[in-house]
């Protein structure tokens, strides 16, 4: 098979806020959050092959094939639409840090579904794949949705809600707490009051409930951020933090002054996925 390669940008997201409302009967938690995209993206290339196998190569170590969300997305699409002999070669250029709360793996899975659609079922629209995306992970649907959105449920009930586009300073310490640890921490408040999607919110009032867990474990990082003079928030379950400003030069100046051991990016915030 002489296949044309299809290339895609796989964007990152931030959670402008993230509240944990309660635990559900199925073991998941009801959440409220507000997603916005940022101008940091992985680059993925897909090409059909004759061998009926899925191959994934990357410029970083990505672990076992069967645990990879791109692989799971391809196989889920294959099963959902009763395809046979699916062979895909995937090449990833990774720019979104892993384990940062920026949604890189979920974004890659959503893009894999789009690529499969483009190869095999071009009549489908992104919204037709939202349930399939949800089966792969709670953050996958927002990348199929493609617009800044208010989210409820486990994060899959989406309503378009745009936020001011500006710039974000992303800061990632070399720290990782697993999502399971976050949810089982006695520090986590799991009964945040439900708020309306029409609420008037700004960075002073938007809180990530998981920050308390992170800062209880790493108070020195809280102190370091507080000395910078910007209002930082954690995205997802971390460990990446962001501060927003319309002044890109200011954020770049702050980034240069911060500890060199921290990974840092200054990027545009976006209401529509790249």
């Amino acid at each position: 098979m002489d296949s044309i390669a299809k290339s895609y940008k796989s964007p990152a997201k931030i959670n402008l806020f993230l509240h944990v409302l309660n635990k559900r009967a199925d073991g998941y938690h009801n959440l409220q959050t507000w997603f916005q995209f940022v101008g940091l993206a992985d680059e993925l290339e897909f090409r059909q092959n004759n061998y009926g196998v899925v191959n994934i190569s990357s410029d970083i170590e990505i672990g076992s094939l069967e645990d990879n969300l791109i692989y799971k997305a391809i196989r889920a699409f294959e099963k959902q639409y009763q395809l046979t002999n699916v062979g895909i070669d995937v090449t990833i250029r990774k720019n979104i840090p892993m384990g940062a709360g920026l949604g890189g793996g979920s974004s890659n899975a959503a893009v894999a579904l789009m690529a499969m659609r483009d190869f095999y079922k071009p009549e489908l629209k992104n919204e037709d794949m939202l349930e399939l995306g949800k089966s792969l992970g709670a953050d996958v649907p927002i990348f199929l949705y493609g617009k800044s959105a208010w989210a409820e449920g486990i994060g899959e009930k989406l309503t378009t809600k745009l936020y001011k586009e500006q710039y974000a300073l992303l800061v990632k310490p070399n720290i990782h707490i697993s999502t399971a640890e976050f949810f089982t921490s006695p520090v986590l408040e799991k009964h945040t009051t439900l708020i309306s999607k029409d609420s008037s919110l700004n960075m002073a009032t938007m809180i990530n409930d998981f920050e308390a867990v992170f800062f209880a474990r790493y108070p020195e990082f809280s102190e370091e951020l507080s000395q910078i003079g910007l209002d930082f928030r954690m995205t997802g379950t971390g460990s990446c933090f962001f501060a927003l400003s319309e002044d890109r030069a200011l954020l770049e100046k702050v980034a240069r002054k911060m500890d060199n051991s921290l990974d840092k990016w200054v990027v545009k915030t976006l209401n529509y996925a790249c």
Side-chain angles (χ1 to χ4, degrees):
M1 183 184 297
D2 188 14
S3 174
I4 297 173
K6 295 182 182 293
S7 298
Y8 302 81
K9 296 282 190 181
S10 182
K13 59 81 180 169
I14 54 175
N15 298 80
L16 295 168
F17 78 91
L18 178 54
H19 294 168
V20 183
L21 306 182
N22 51 58
K23 190 169 184 178
R24 298 154 47 118
D26 61 9
Y28 289 96
H29 290 78
N30 283 312
L31 309 172
Q32 277 192 310
T33 190
W34 189 357
F35 290 113
Q36 192 175 36
F37 302 100
V38 295
L40 181 67
D42 294 337
E43 300 166 42
L44 276 64
E45 182 181 277
F46 297 79
R47 186 186 296 270
Q48 290 174 290
N49 65 49
N50 284 324
Y51 316 113
V53 297
V54 175
N55 300 304
I56 302 176
S57 61
S58 176
D59 54 351
I60 66 165
E61 177 60 45
I62 56 173
S64 70
L65 183 68
E66 290 75 14
D67 290 334
N68 188 278
L69 271 175
I70 295 172
Y71 178 85
K72 290 180 178 180
I74 291 171
R75 291 309 188 200
F77 190 98
E78 178 184 34
K79 181 178 180 181
Q80 174 78 16
Y81 295 103
Q82 300 179 331
L83 304 176
T84 58
N85 199 37
V86 168
I88 301 287
D89 295 321
V90 186
T91 304
I92 311 168
R93 182 178 176 186
K94 202 76 178 146
N95 298 310
I96 304 171
M98 299 173 72
L102 294 168
S106 296
S107 179
N108 291 174
V111 165
L113 293 178
M114 294 179 208
M116 291 293 288
R117 181 266 317 278
D118 292 345
F119 279 128
Y120 297 103
K121 293 285 183 179
E123 69 277 10
L124 293 176
K125 296 180 172 60
N126 279 8
E127 52 263 36
D128 297 326
M129 300 187 291
L130 289 175
E131 279 299 314
L132 187 56
K134 176 186 169 185
S135 73
L136 295 164
D139 280 350
V140 177
I142 185 60
F143 295 102
L144 292 167
Y145 194 72
K147 300 182 287 292
S148 292
W150 187 269
E152 296 183 348
I154 63 171
E156 89 289 4
K157 296 178 181 177
L158 302 168
T159 305
T160 301
K161 186 175 175 68
L162 307 184
Y163 191 59
K164 176 172 58 179
E165 291 189 342
Q166 49 195 310
Y167 296 97
L169 168 57
L170 307 178
V171 178
K172 182 183 179 298
N174 187 23
I175 294 170
H176 177 67
I177 303 177
S178 74
T179 299
E181 285 182 88
F182 269 112
F183 275 105
T184 57
S185 170
V187 177
L188 179 65
E189 173 58 59
K190 297 182 180 179
H191 304 286
T192 302
T193 302
L194 182 76
I195 60 177
S196 167
K197 68 179 178 60
D198 298 318
S199 300
S200 179
L201 298 170
N202 55 50
M203 288 311 296
T205 58
M206 292 194 285
I207 302 298
N208 184 331
D209 287 342
F210 293 101
E211 284 182 22
V213 181
F214 190 93
F215 288 147
R217 184 82 65 89
Y218 300 102
E220 68 280 4
F221 189 63
S222 174
E223 182 177 347
E224 182 175 352
L225 289 180
S226 68
Q227 293 173 353
I228 293 170
L230 296 174
D231 194 1
F232 278 93
R233 290 285 177 272
M234 189 168 73
T235 178
T237 52
S239 59
C240 194
F241 286 74
F242 65 91
L244 301 177
S245 174
E246 295 184 42
D247 188 343
R248 180 169 193 153
L250 170 66
L251 296 181
E252 290 174 340
K253 181 179 179 181
V254 169
R256 288 194 294 270
K257 291 182 176 180
M258 294 182 75
D259 189 329
N260 287 334
S261 68
L262 299 170
D263 291 326
K264 303 175 288 290
W265 304 262
V266 176
V267 294
K268 191 84 168 60
T269 64
L270 304 166
N271 279 320
Y272 298 92
C274 57

